[in-house]
Amino acid sequence: MFDPTPQPVVGLEIGTSKVCAVVGELNAGGGLSITGLGQARSRGVRKGEIVDTTAAAEDVRAALAEAEQMADVEIRSVYLGVTGAHLQSFNNRGRHNIPTHDREIMDDDVQDVVKNAKTFNLPADRHVIHVIRQHFIVDGQPGLINPVGMPGAHLEVDVHVIHGITTRLQRPIRVVKSLQIEVENIVFTGIASSLAVLTAQEKERGALVIDLGAGITDYVVYAEGIIRHTGTLAVGGDHVSNDLAYGLKVALGRAEALKCAHGGAVIGPEIKGRTLSLPSDHGLPERTLNLEHLRRIMAARFEEIFEIIAAELEAENLLDCLHAGVVLCGGGARVPGVDELAERIFGVPVALGRTRTISGLVATLDQPEFATGIGLVKFGSFQTPGLKSLRWAARLRQTLGSLGSVFRSI
């Protein structure tokens, strides 16, 4: 029998700059409520991947403890976000012939064609993270969501596959398990972020989500309600700081401070000729920095990131699918003018990601850098049988028993 008691779902992001744990619960009305948040400065991660397991474990423990205290729960398992330059993706098609031409397609046929779509050759050192169903094709007719009950002789399905190097995916899993915490599932952080910031209508119209992290940039393209393309770039906010340190000839810590206090991704007329006084260390004379020069350095790096993504989408014939525009999230989305720069490069409206489908700690969490953590909780709510039952029951009550629209978990 289903237990109606709300069950906590925890999303854990072990990022380059911070470790973030988010606790969520599905309430009686079927809505997701965030009840806890824990953060810790990340010391053992570089470019989205763990390089120091001891430091990473300490930071994860601290973030989980804070989230437990705020939510007043005991965390026993998490949905773990993963990323890294080693992640790759591709689209694959499965095919299945209906044995008898005059019968309708059945559930068994769907299971067979999906199984065939999951049959592909990968190097032995790689692990499949996601196989995401896109759409079905019946006798050459594409774009079908559910072919069951349709007459047909040939059934096909397209899927999107995301995979990574097994040993590099095992590192964060082992860090979490070393704390006696189970990993329910691993989730590509780009998908998690998109779940947090996109509405069903935006997915249908076509949208690009770019998560500008400290060490890596993830991106996901939706069109017609399905994921069409995903990718990662081993470039993020830390590279902007490195560029400033080199270009301005200052220490990295000071470059980071200048980025946060005076940074921007566009050069407007208001900064023409403006300078900054920079106290020197060790008794040396005070320096003067040109603010326009600082902004140009930052703009060049963000422009490079956006142009690489735009070029890849153009090669995949996806640039014209972005009718709902581009949504930016991650800490890099806070940089003034980064949305304006992205709009100029992609040629579509650009917005900062907002988590509009949650309740609870909204004021705290409605920030672009928390999109991944919230998205991991949403992903977990789709996977947890009890929560799915509660959500479905709530929807049935709201619609008085009508079937409503087809639910897509991703």
Side-chain angles (χ1 to χ4, degrees):
M1 180 179 294
F2 170 63
D3 180 4
T5 304
Q7 303 176 48
V9 181
V10 183
L12 177 64
E13 178 193 10
I14 308 176
T16 304
S17 64
K18 74 178 187 308
V19 176
C20 180
V22 179
V23 182
E25 292 180 354
L26 199 67
N27 57 45
L32 186 62
S33 177
I34 302 301
T35 58
L37 167 67
Q39 297 184 80
R41 185 173 66 87
S42 185
R43 300 168 297 160
V45 181
R46 184 176 301 132
K47 295 185 179 181
E49 297 186 62
I50 291 176
V51 295
D52 184 337
T53 55
T54 301
E58 293 174 358
D59 300 334
V60 169
R61 182 186 289 108
L64 290 174
E66 184 179 348
E68 282 184 325
Q69 184 176 11
M70 181 178 292
D72 193 21
V73 297
E74 180 183 357
I75 295 175
R76 298 179 180 178
S77 65
V78 299
Y79 286 86
L80 177 63
V82 294
T83 187
H86 65 101
L87 266 58
Q88 297 178 7
S89 65
F90 63 92
N91 294 325
N92 195 48
R93 176 168 291 186
R95 296 173 174 83
H96 173 69
N97 293 325
I98 309 301
T100 306
H101 286 219
D102 59 349
R103 77 164 172 83
E104 296 177 346
I105 295 171
M106 302 168 60
D107 285 327
D108 288 346
D109 299 314
V110 171
Q111 293 176 16
D112 286 339
V113 74
V114 172
K115 181 179 178 181
N116 293 338
K118 294 180 179 180
T119 303
F120 41 75
N121 294 320
L122 286 178
D125 66 338
R126 302 196 74 84
H127 173 79
V128 175
I129 303 170
H130 299 291
V131 178
I132 303 164
R133 189 183 304 179
Q134 295 177 314
H135 59 83
F136 292 93
I137 305 100
V138 175
D139 294 340
Q141 180 186 358
L144 303 177
I145 296 174
N146 183 9
V148 174
M150 297 180 180
H154 304 286
L155 177 64
E156 299 171 291
V157 64
D158 286 337
V159 297
H160 185 72
V161 182
I162 304 175
H163 58 96
I165 295 177
T166 304
T167 54
R168 291 161 75 170
L169 292 171
Q170 287 175 338
R171 290 178 200 164
I173 295 173
R174 289 181 175 177
V175 164
V176 174
K177 288 189 172 184
S178 72
L179 304 174
Q180 310 306 311
I181 302 292
E182 289 300 315
V183 175
E184 295 283 356
N185 211 336
I186 58 174
V187 185
F188 172 48
T189 53
I191 289 180
S193 297
S194 70
L195 289 176
V197 301
L198 288 185
T199 65
Q201 292 78 12
E202 288 168 332
K203 293 176 185 178
E204 193 68 36
R205 292 179 59 206
L208 165 65
V209 176
I210 303 177
D211 190 328
L212 295 162
I216 203 155
T217 297
D218 300 323
Y219 51 99
V220 178
V221 179
Y222 280 85
E224 298 178 346
I226 60 177
I227 291 177
R228 292 296 185 89
H229 187 71
T230 60
T232 60
L233 294 176
V235 184
D238 286 353
H239 297 79
V240 176
S241 300
N242 290 332
D243 292 346
L244 289 174
Y246 180 81
L248 301 178
K249 296 179 174 59
V250 297
L252 183 58
R254 177 158 288 181
E256 179 73 20
L258 287 169
K259 179 181 75 174
C260 295
H262 305 286
V266 294
I267 299 94
E270 73 280 359
I271 66 168
K272 294 289 185 180
R274 284 186 56 189
T275 59
L276 299 172
S277 295
L278 187 65
S280 274
D281 299 324
H282 311 298
L284 296 174
E286 185 178 85
R287 290 180 54 193
T288 299
L289 293 181
N290 187 294
L291 184 58
E292 183 178 349
H293 182 44
L294 182 150
R295 294 279 182 91
R296 287 192 184 280
I297 293 172
M298 293 184 64
R301 177 62 80 172
F302 282 111
E303 186 173 2
E304 176 194 38
I305 292 172
F306 294 146
E307 286 182 343
I308 290 173
I309 296 173
E312 186 167 332
L313 267 57
E314 186 174 16
E316 298 289 335
N317 295 317
L318 291 172
L319 271 182
D320 293 335
C321 297
L322 307 180
H323 302 298
V326 176
V327 179
L328 302 178
C329 56
R334 283 182 170 274
V335 174
V338 71
D339 52 342
E340 182 181 337
L341 178 61
E343 188 167 320
R344 177 165 59 82
I345 292 174
F346 290 100
V348 296
V350 176
L352 298 186
R354 297 296 182 200
T355 54
R356 294 163 288 186
T357 58
I358 63 165
S359 61
L361 304 175
V362 178
T364 303
L365 286 176
D366 195 15
Q367 307 295 338
E369 60 264 36
F370 295 123
T372 296
I374 293 172
L376 289 169
V377 172
K378 292 191 74 172
F379 182 95
S381 73
F382 299 149
Q383 307 302 310
T384 305
L387 294 183
K388 285 197 292 185
S389 300
L390 186 57
R391 182 190 298 272
W392 182 243
R395 288 188 174 184
L396 285 179
R397 287 194 298 271
Q398 292 171 357
T399 58
L400 300 178
S402 64
L403 291 178
S405 59
V406 176
F407 174 72
R408 300 178 187 177
S409 64
I410 296 179

